[in-house]
Amino acid sequence: MAWGKGKTEKGQGGKLGHSNRDGWGYHDEEKVIAKKQRRLEQKRLISDEISKIDENLRERVKTLTRVLTKHELKFEIYKFDSGAAMIDIWANSDFYCIQMTEDKFGWSKVDEDSGFSATPDSGYLNWSNFKNEFDEIIKKYT
């Protein structure tokens, strides 16, 4: 007479479900699903960061437009898909162009001699320094 098959000494005896696996799919299928989940998570993180950048830039544009409106200066705002913004300002007979991204700010005085350029006359990496210069320019016209 034979002894019946008994319990193995270690592990689950070859049963499925060991090693804390949740799914029962093939390894290749699980890799594809995990890759897709990581990609979607990265897209969500990037989208969240971009919305924060857009929000900060919108607040800074609002700050400048409040000052321009207060001093009754004519202006137009342009927003670009890249996340940049540009404000054209007419003050008396002078024309200024403010160029802004999330972390770079600049202004140019445009006249017949200089013409229009995408490169600002003065550029700043600090919002406070840019805002102080902006306020000084506006004071000349009030």
Short mmCIF file of all heavy atoms in Angstrom, two decimals, residues 77-133:
data_model
loop_
_atom_site.label_atom_id
_atom_site.label_comp_id
_atom_site.label_asym_id
_atom_site.label_seq_id
_atom_site.Cartn_x
_atom_site.Cartn_y
_atom_site.Cartn_z
N ILE A 77 -3.74 91.20 -24.85
CA ILE A 77 -3.08 90.01 -24.31
C ILE A 77 -3.13 88.90 -25.36
O ILE A 77 -4.16 88.67 -25.97
CB ILE A 77 -3.78 89.53 -23.03
CG1 ILE A 77 -3.77 90.64 -21.99
CG2 ILE A 77 -3.12 88.27 -22.49
CD1 ILE A 77 -4.64 90.33 -20.79
N TYR A 78 -2.02 88.21 -25.52
CA TYR A 78 -1.93 87.06 -26.41
C TYR A 78 -1.41 85.87 -25.61
O TYR A 78 -0.43 86.01 -24.89
CB TYR A 78 -0.99 87.33 -27.59
CG TYR A 78 -1.37 88.54 -28.40
CD1 TYR A 78 -0.78 89.77 -28.14
CD2 TYR A 78 -2.32 88.45 -29.39
CE1 TYR A 78 -1.12 90.89 -28.87
CE2 TYR A 78 -2.68 89.57 -30.13
CZ TYR A 78 -2.08 90.78 -29.86
OH TYR A 78 -2.43 91.89 -30.58
N LYS A 79 -2.06 84.73 -25.75
CA LYS A 79 -1.59 83.51 -25.09
C LYS A 79 -1.24 82.50 -26.16
O LYS A 79 -1.91 82.41 -27.18
CB LYS A 79 -2.67 82.96 -24.16
CG LYS A 79 -2.97 83.90 -23.01
CD LYS A 79 -4.01 83.35 -22.09
CE LYS A 79 -4.30 84.35 -20.98
NZ LYS A 79 -5.38 83.92 -20.13
N PHE A 80 -0.20 81.72 -25.90
CA PHE A 80 0.31 80.77 -26.87
C PHE A 80 0.22 79.35 -26.34
O PHE A 80 0.21 79.13 -25.14
CB PHE A 80 1.76 81.11 -27.23
CG PHE A 80 1.90 82.49 -27.81
CD1 PHE A 80 2.24 83.56 -27.00
CD2 PHE A 80 1.68 82.72 -29.15
CE1 PHE A 80 2.36 84.83 -27.52
CE2 PHE A 80 1.80 83.98 -29.68
CZ PHE A 80 2.14 85.05 -28.87
N ASP A 81 0.15 78.38 -27.25
CA ASP A 81 0.08 76.97 -26.87
C ASP A 81 1.29 76.52 -26.06
O ASP A 81 1.21 75.59 -25.28
CB ASP A 81 -0.05 76.07 -28.11
CG ASP A 81 -1.38 76.26 -28.82
OD1 ASP A 81 -2.33 76.72 -28.15
OD2 ASP A 81 -1.47 75.95 -30.02
N SER A 82 2.39 77.20 -26.23
CA SER A 82 3.61 76.84 -25.50
C SER A 82 3.52 77.18 -24.01
O SER A 82 4.37 76.78 -23.23
CB SER A 82 4.81 77.57 -26.10
OG SER A 82 4.66 78.97 -25.92
N GLY A 83 2.49 77.93 -23.63
CA GLY A 83 2.36 78.35 -22.25
C GLY A 83 2.84 79.78 -22.02
O GLY A 83 2.74 80.29 -20.92
N ALA A 84 3.34 80.41 -23.05
CA ALA A 84 3.82 81.79 -22.94
C ALA A 84 2.65 82.77 -23.12
O ALA A 84 1.61 82.42 -23.65
CB ALA A 84 4.89 82.06 -23.98
N ALA A 85 2.88 83.98 -22.66
CA ALA A 85 1.90 85.05 -22.83
C ALA A 85 2.64 86.32 -23.26
O ALA A 85 3.82 86.49 -22.95
CB ALA A 85 1.14 85.30 -21.55
N MET A 86 1.93 87.17 -23.98
CA MET A 86 2.51 88.42 -24.44
C MET A 86 1.47 89.51 -24.26
O MET A 86 0.29 89.30 -24.52
CB MET A 86 2.92 88.30 -25.91
CG MET A 86 3.68 89.48 -26.43
SD MET A 86 4.44 89.17 -28.05
CE MET A 86 3.02 88.96 -29.08
N ILE A 87 1.91 90.65 -23.77
CA ILE A 87 1.02 91.79 -23.58
C ILE A 87 1.58 92.96 -24.39
O ILE A 87 2.73 93.37 -24.18
CB ILE A 87 0.91 92.19 -22.10
CG1 ILE A 87 0.46 91.00 -21.25
CG2 ILE A 87 -0.05 93.36 -21.94
CD1 ILE A 87 0.49 91.26 -19.76
N ASP A 88 0.79 93.48 -25.31
CA ASP A 88 1.16 94.68 -26.06
C ASP A 88 0.55 95.87 -25.33
O ASP A 88 -0.62 95.86 -24.97
CB ASP A 88 0.63 94.62 -27.49
CG ASP A 88 1.33 93.57 -28.33
OD1 ASP A 88 2.42 93.13 -27.93
OD2 ASP A 88 0.79 93.21 -29.39
N ILE A 89 1.37 96.91 -25.12
CA ILE A 89 0.93 98.08 -24.36
C ILE A 89 1.20 99.34 -25.18
O ILE A 89 2.31 99.53 -25.69
CB ILE A 89 1.68 98.19 -23.02
CG1 ILE A 89 1.50 96.92 -22.20
CG2 ILE A 89 1.23 99.42 -22.24
CD1 ILE A 89 2.42 96.82 -21.00
N TRP A 90 0.18 100.17 -25.29
CA TRP A 90 0.32 101.46 -25.94
C TRP A 90 0.23 102.54 -24.87
O TRP A 90 -0.80 102.67 -24.18
CB TRP A 90 -0.77 101.68 -26.98
CG TRP A 90 -0.62 100.79 -28.16
CD1 TRP A 90 0.05 101.07 -29.31
CD2 TRP A 90 -1.15 99.47 -28.32
NE1 TRP A 90 -0.01 100.00 -30.18
CE2 TRP A 90 -0.76 99.00 -29.58
CE3 TRP A 90 -1.91 98.63 -27.52
CZ2 TRP A 90 -1.10 97.75 -30.07
CZ3 TRP A 90 -2.25 97.38 -27.99
CH2 TRP A 90 -1.85 96.95 -29.25
N ALA A 91 1.30 103.30 -24.69
CA ALA A 91 1.34 104.38 -23.71
C ALA A 91 1.73 105.65 -24.45
O ALA A 91 2.87 105.76 -24.92
CB ALA A 91 2.33 104.06 -22.60
N ASN A 92 0.78 106.56 -24.56
CA ASN A 92 0.97 107.77 -25.37
C ASN A 92 1.39 107.34 -26.78
O ASN A 92 0.69 106.61 -27.44
CB ASN A 92 1.97 108.72 -24.72
CG ASN A 92 1.49 109.23 -23.37
OD1 ASN A 92 0.29 109.21 -23.09
ND2 ASN A 92 2.41 109.67 -22.55
N SER A 93 2.56 107.76 -27.23
CA SER A 93 3.01 107.36 -28.58
C SER A 93 3.99 106.19 -28.53
O SER A 93 4.54 105.81 -29.56
CB SER A 93 3.65 108.56 -29.28
OG SER A 93 4.77 108.99 -28.53
N ASP A 94 4.21 105.62 -27.36
CA ASP A 94 5.16 104.51 -27.21
C ASP A 94 4.44 103.17 -27.22
O ASP A 94 3.29 103.06 -26.80
CB ASP A 94 5.94 104.65 -25.91
CG ASP A 94 6.83 105.89 -25.89
OD1 ASP A 94 7.28 106.31 -26.98
OD2 ASP A 94 7.07 106.43 -24.80
N PHE A 95 5.17 102.16 -27.69
CA PHE A 95 4.61 100.81 -27.77
C PHE A 95 5.58 99.85 -27.08
O PHE A 95 6.77 99.82 -27.40
CB PHE A 95 4.42 100.41 -29.23
CG PHE A 95 3.99 98.99 -29.43
CD1 PHE A 95 2.77 98.54 -28.97
CD2 PHE A 95 4.81 98.10 -30.09
CE1 PHE A 95 2.36 97.22 -29.17
CE2 PHE A 95 4.43 96.78 -30.29
CZ PHE A 95 3.20 96.35 -29.82
N TYR A 96 5.07 99.10 -26.11
CA TYR A 96 5.86 98.12 -25.38
C TYR A 96 5.28 96.73 -25.60
O TYR A 96 4.08 96.57 -25.76
CB TYR A 96 5.85 98.41 -23.87
CG TYR A 96 6.61 99.65 -23.48
CD1 TYR A 96 5.97 100.88 -23.39
CD2 TYR A 96 7.97 99.60 -23.20
CE1 TYR A 96 6.65 102.02 -23.03
CE2 TYR A 96 8.67 100.73 -22.84
CZ TYR A 96 8.00 101.94 -22.75
OH TYR A 96 8.69 103.07 -22.40
N CYS A 97 6.17 95.76 -25.54
CA CYS A 97 5.77 94.37 -25.63
C CYS A 97 6.33 93.63 -24.42
O CYS A 97 7.54 93.63 -24.21
CB CYS A 97 6.28 93.74 -26.93
SG CYS A 97 5.85 92.01 -27.08
N ILE A 98 5.43 93.04 -23.62
CA ILE A 98 5.83 92.26 -22.45
C ILE A 98 5.76 90.79 -22.84
O ILE A 98 4.73 90.34 -23.37
CB ILE A 98 4.89 92.52 -21.25
CG1 ILE A 98 4.79 94.00 -20.93
CG2 ILE A 98 5.29 91.68 -20.06
CD1 ILE A 98 6.02 94.60 -20.35
N GLN A 99 6.82 90.05 -22.61
CA GLN A 99 6.86 88.62 -22.93
C GLN A 99 7.06 87.84 -21.64
O GLN A 99 7.94 88.16 -20.85
CB GLN A 99 8.00 88.34 -23.92
CG GLN A 99 7.85 89.12 -25.20
CD GLN A 99 9.18 89.48 -25.83
OE1 GLN A 99 10.20 89.51 -25.17
NE2 GLN A 99 9.15 89.78 -27.11
N MET A 100 6.20 86.81 -21.45
CA MET A 100 6.24 86.09 -20.18
C MET A 100 6.09 84.59 -20.38
O MET A 100 5.30 84.14 -21.20
CB MET A 100 5.08 86.56 -19.28
CG MET A 100 5.07 88.01 -18.97
SD MET A 100 3.58 88.56 -18.13
CE MET A 100 3.64 87.59 -16.65
N THR A 101 6.88 83.84 -19.64
CA THR A 101 6.67 82.41 -19.48
C THR A 101 6.62 82.18 -17.97
O THR A 101 6.62 83.14 -17.20
CB THR A 101 7.81 81.57 -20.10
OG1 THR A 101 9.03 81.86 -19.41
CG2 THR A 101 7.97 81.83 -21.58
N GLU A 102 6.59 80.95 -17.55
CA GLU A 102 6.49 80.64 -16.13
C GLU A 102 7.65 81.22 -15.33
O GLU A 102 7.45 81.76 -14.26
CB GLU A 102 6.43 79.12 -15.93
CG GLU A 102 6.51 78.68 -14.49
CD GLU A 102 5.38 79.16 -13.61
OE1 GLU A 102 4.34 79.58 -14.12
OE2 GLU A 102 5.55 79.12 -12.39
N ASP A 103 8.86 81.19 -15.86
CA ASP A 103 10.02 81.61 -15.08
C ASP A 103 10.90 82.64 -15.79
O ASP A 103 11.99 82.94 -15.33
CB ASP A 103 10.86 80.39 -14.70
CG ASP A 103 11.30 79.60 -15.92
OD1 ASP A 103 10.83 79.90 -17.03
OD2 ASP A 103 12.11 78.68 -15.76
N LYS A 104 10.42 83.21 -16.88
CA LYS A 104 11.18 84.22 -17.60
C LYS A 104 10.24 85.35 -17.98
O LYS A 104 9.13 85.12 -18.44
CB LYS A 104 11.81 83.64 -18.87
CG LYS A 104 12.85 82.59 -18.60
CD LYS A 104 13.40 82.02 -19.88
CE LYS A 104 14.31 80.85 -19.57
NZ LYS A 104 14.63 80.07 -20.75
N PHE A 105 10.74 86.58 -17.80
CA PHE A 105 9.93 87.76 -18.07
C PHE A 105 10.79 88.78 -18.79
O PHE A 105 11.97 88.91 -18.50
CB PHE A 105 9.43 88.37 -16.75
CG PHE A 105 8.91 87.33 -15.79
CD1 PHE A 105 9.74 86.81 -14.81
CD2 PHE A 105 7.62 86.86 -15.89
CE1 PHE A 105 9.29 85.84 -13.93
CE2 PHE A 105 7.16 85.89 -15.03
CZ PHE A 105 7.99 85.38 -14.05
N GLY A 106 10.20 89.48 -19.73
CA GLY A 106 10.96 90.48 -20.45
C GLY A 106 10.06 91.54 -21.05
O GLY A 106 8.86 91.34 -21.19
N TRP A 107 10.65 92.65 -21.40
CA TRP A 107 9.92 93.71 -22.05
C TRP A 107 10.79 94.31 -23.14
O TRP A 107 12.01 94.29 -23.08
CB TRP A 107 9.45 94.78 -21.07
CG TRP A 107 10.56 95.51 -20.37
CD1 TRP A 107 11.17 95.16 -19.22
CD2 TRP A 107 11.21 96.69 -20.83
NE1 TRP A 107 12.16 96.05 -18.91
CE2 TRP A 107 12.20 97.01 -19.89
CE3 TRP A 107 11.05 97.51 -21.94
CZ2 TRP A 107 13.02 98.11 -20.02
CZ3 TRP A 107 11.87 98.61 -22.08
CH2 TRP A 107 12.85 98.90 -21.12
N SER A 108 10.13 94.84 -24.14
CA SER A 108 10.82 95.51 -25.24
C SER A 108 10.05 96.79 -25.57
O SER A 108 8.83 96.79 -25.56
CB SER A 108 10.84 94.64 -26.50
OG SER A 108 11.53 93.44 -26.27
N LYS A 109 10.79 97.83 -25.87
CA LYS A 109 10.17 99.04 -26.40
C LYS A 109 10.34 98.97 -27.91
O LYS A 109 11.45 98.87 -28.42
CB LYS A 109 10.84 100.29 -25.84
CG LYS A 109 10.16 101.55 -26.29
CD LYS A 109 10.73 102.77 -25.60
CE LYS A 109 9.98 104.01 -26.06
NZ LYS A 109 10.51 105.21 -25.42
N VAL A 110 9.23 98.98 -28.59
CA VAL A 110 9.24 98.81 -30.05
C VAL A 110 9.04 100.18 -30.69
O VAL A 110 8.10 100.91 -30.36
CB VAL A 110 8.12 97.84 -30.49
CG1 VAL A 110 8.16 97.64 -31.99
CG2 VAL A 110 8.24 96.51 -29.75
N ASP A 111 9.95 100.53 -31.60
CA ASP A 111 9.80 101.75 -32.37
C ASP A 111 10.24 101.50 -33.80
O ASP A 111 10.59 100.37 -34.17
CB ASP A 111 10.58 102.91 -31.73
CG ASP A 111 12.07 102.59 -31.55
OD1 ASP A 111 12.57 101.68 -32.23
OD2 ASP A 111 12.72 103.25 -30.72
N GLU A 112 10.22 102.51 -34.60
CA GLU A 112 10.56 102.34 -36.02
C GLU A 112 12.00 101.90 -36.22
O GLU A 112 12.31 101.18 -37.15
CB GLU A 112 10.29 103.65 -36.77
CG GLU A 112 8.83 103.99 -36.86
CD GLU A 112 8.60 105.33 -37.53
OE1 GLU A 112 9.56 105.93 -38.05
OE2 GLU A 112 7.45 105.77 -37.54
N ASP A 113 12.89 102.34 -35.35
CA ASP A 113 14.31 101.99 -35.49
C ASP A 113 14.58 100.55 -35.09
O ASP A 113 15.31 99.84 -35.77
CB ASP A 113 15.17 102.93 -34.64
CG ASP A 113 15.09 104.36 -35.14
OD1 ASP A 113 14.86 104.55 -36.35
OD2 ASP A 113 15.25 105.27 -34.31
N SER A 114 14.00 100.10 -33.96
CA SER A 114 14.32 98.76 -33.46
C SER A 114 13.47 97.68 -34.11
O SER A 114 13.91 96.55 -34.28
CB SER A 114 14.14 98.71 -31.94
OG SER A 114 12.79 98.90 -31.60
N GLY A 115 12.23 98.00 -34.45
CA GLY A 115 11.34 96.99 -35.00
C GLY A 115 10.95 95.98 -33.95
O GLY A 115 11.35 96.07 -32.79
N PHE A 116 10.18 95.00 -34.35
CA PHE A 116 9.71 93.99 -33.40
C PHE A 116 10.64 92.79 -33.42
O PHE A 116 11.04 92.31 -34.46
CB PHE A 116 8.29 93.55 -33.74
CG PHE A 116 7.73 92.59 -32.73
CD1 PHE A 116 7.27 93.04 -31.52
CD2 PHE A 116 7.70 91.24 -33.00
CE1 PHE A 116 6.77 92.17 -30.57
CE2 PHE A 116 7.20 90.35 -32.07
CZ PHE A 116 6.74 90.82 -30.86
N SER A 117 10.97 92.30 -32.23
CA SER A 117 11.83 91.14 -32.10
C SER A 117 11.28 90.25 -31.01
O SER A 117 10.72 90.72 -30.02
CB SER A 117 13.26 91.57 -31.75
OG SER A 117 14.04 90.44 -31.44
N ALA A 118 11.46 88.94 -31.15
CA ALA A 118 11.01 88.00 -30.13
C ALA A 118 11.95 88.01 -28.92
O ALA A 118 11.60 87.51 -27.86
CB ALA A 118 10.93 86.59 -30.70
N THR A 119 13.12 88.60 -29.08
CA THR A 119 14.07 88.70 -27.97
C THR A 119 13.83 90.02 -27.23
O THR A 119 13.87 91.08 -27.84
CB THR A 119 15.52 88.68 -28.51
OG1 THR A 119 15.70 87.52 -29.30
CG2 THR A 119 16.51 88.69 -27.36
N PRO A 120 13.56 89.96 -25.93
CA PRO A 120 13.27 91.19 -25.19
C PRO A 120 14.50 92.06 -25.01
O PRO A 120 15.63 91.58 -24.99
CB PRO A 120 12.75 90.69 -23.85
CG PRO A 120 13.25 89.30 -23.71
CD PRO A 120 13.44 88.76 -25.09
N ASP A 121 14.28 93.37 -24.86
CA ASP A 121 15.37 94.31 -24.56
C ASP A 121 15.94 94.02 -23.18
O ASP A 121 17.14 94.10 -22.96
CB ASP A 121 14.87 95.76 -24.60
CG ASP A 121 14.42 96.17 -25.99
OD1 ASP A 121 14.79 95.49 -26.97
OD2 ASP A 121 13.70 97.17 -26.10
N SER A 122 15.06 93.73 -22.23
CA SER A 122 15.47 93.41 -20.85
C SER A 122 14.77 92.13 -20.43
O SER A 122 13.56 92.01 -20.59
CB SER A 122 15.09 94.52 -19.88
OG SER A 122 15.81 95.69 -20.17
N GLY A 123 15.53 91.20 -19.90
CA GLY A 123 14.96 89.93 -19.46
C GLY A 123 15.23 89.70 -17.98
O GLY A 123 16.24 90.15 -17.44
N TYR A 124 14.31 89.00 -17.33
CA TYR A 124 14.41 88.75 -15.89
C TYR A 124 14.05 87.30 -15.60
O TYR A 124 13.17 86.73 -16.24
CB TYR A 124 13.45 89.66 -15.11
CG TYR A 124 13.71 91.12 -15.34
CD1 TYR A 124 13.13 91.78 -16.41
CD2 TYR A 124 14.55 91.83 -14.50
CE1 TYR A 124 13.36 93.13 -16.62
CE2 TYR A 124 14.80 93.17 -14.71
CZ TYR A 124 14.20 93.81 -15.78
OH TYR A 124 14.46 95.13 -15.99
N LEU A 125 14.72 86.73 -14.63
CA LEU A 125 14.39 85.39 -14.15
C LEU A 125 13.66 85.47 -12.80
O LEU A 125 13.26 84.45 -12.27
CB LEU A 125 15.66 84.55 -14.00
CG LEU A 125 16.43 84.30 -15.29
CD1 LEU A 125 17.73 83.56 -14.99
CD2 LEU A 125 15.59 83.52 -16.27
N ASN A 126 13.49 86.68 -12.30
CA ASN A 126 12.86 86.90 -11.01
C ASN A 126 11.64 87.79 -11.20
O ASN A 126 11.75 88.90 -11.72
CB ASN A 126 13.88 87.55 -10.06
CG ASN A 126 13.33 87.78 -8.69
OD1 ASN A 126 12.33 88.48 -8.52
ND2 ASN A 126 13.99 87.20 -7.71
N TRP A 127 10.47 87.31 -10.77
CA TRP A 127 9.22 88.05 -10.95
C TRP A 127 9.28 89.41 -10.25
O TRP A 127 8.84 90.41 -10.80
CB TRP A 127 8.05 87.23 -10.44
CG TRP A 127 6.78 88.01 -10.31
CD1 TRP A 127 6.17 88.38 -9.16
CD2 TRP A 127 5.98 88.55 -11.36
NE1 TRP A 127 5.04 89.10 -9.42
CE2 TRP A 127 4.89 89.23 -10.77
CE3 TRP A 127 6.08 88.54 -12.74
CZ2 TRP A 127 3.92 89.87 -11.51
CZ3 TRP A 127 5.09 89.19 -13.49
CH2 TRP A 127 4.03 89.84 -12.87
N SER A 128 9.82 89.47 -9.04
CA SER A 128 9.85 90.73 -8.28
C SER A 128 10.66 91.80 -9.00
O SER A 128 10.24 92.96 -9.09
CB SER A 128 10.44 90.49 -6.89
OG SER A 128 9.65 89.59 -6.18
N ASN A 129 11.82 91.42 -9.52
CA ASN A 129 12.65 92.38 -10.26
C ASN A 129 11.93 92.87 -11.51
O ASN A 129 11.96 94.06 -11.83
CB ASN A 129 13.99 91.75 -10.65
CG ASN A 129 14.86 91.46 -9.45
OD1 ASN A 129 14.62 91.96 -8.36
ND2 ASN A 129 15.86 90.62 -9.64
N PHE A 130 11.29 91.95 -12.22
CA PHE A 130 10.55 92.33 -13.42
C PHE A 130 9.40 93.27 -13.06
O PHE A 130 9.20 94.29 -13.71
CB PHE A 130 9.99 91.09 -14.14
CG PHE A 130 9.04 91.44 -15.23
CD1 PHE A 130 9.50 91.92 -16.44
CD2 PHE A 130 7.67 91.31 -15.04
CE1 PHE A 130 8.62 92.26 -17.45
CE2 PHE A 130 6.79 91.65 -16.03
CZ PHE A 130 7.25 92.13 -17.24
N LYS A 131 8.65 92.93 -12.02
CA LYS A 131 7.49 93.74 -11.61
C LYS A 131 7.93 95.14 -11.21
O LYS A 131 7.27 96.13 -11.56
CB LYS A 131 6.76 93.04 -10.45
CG LYS A 131 5.57 93.79 -9.91
CD LYS A 131 4.44 93.81 -10.90
CE LYS A 131 3.14 94.28 -10.26
NZ LYS A 131 3.09 95.69 -9.92
N ASN A 132 9.05 95.26 -10.50
CA ASN A 132 9.57 96.59 -10.13
C ASN A 132 9.90 97.42 -11.37
O ASN A 132 9.57 98.61 -11.43
CB ASN A 132 10.80 96.46 -9.24
CG ASN A 132 10.47 95.91 -7.88
OD1 ASN A 132 9.33 95.99 -7.41
ND2 ASN A 132 11.46 95.32 -7.22
N GLU A 133 10.54 96.81 -12.35
CA GLU A 133 10.88 97.51 -13.60
C GLU A 133 9.61 97.89 -14.36
O GLU A 133 9.50 98.99 -14.90
CB GLU A 133 11.78 96.63 -14.47
CG GLU A 133 12.24 97.29 -15.74
CD GLU A 133 13.20 98.45 -15.50
OE1 GLU A 133 13.86 98.47 -14.47
OE2 GLU A 133 13.26 99.33 -16.38
#
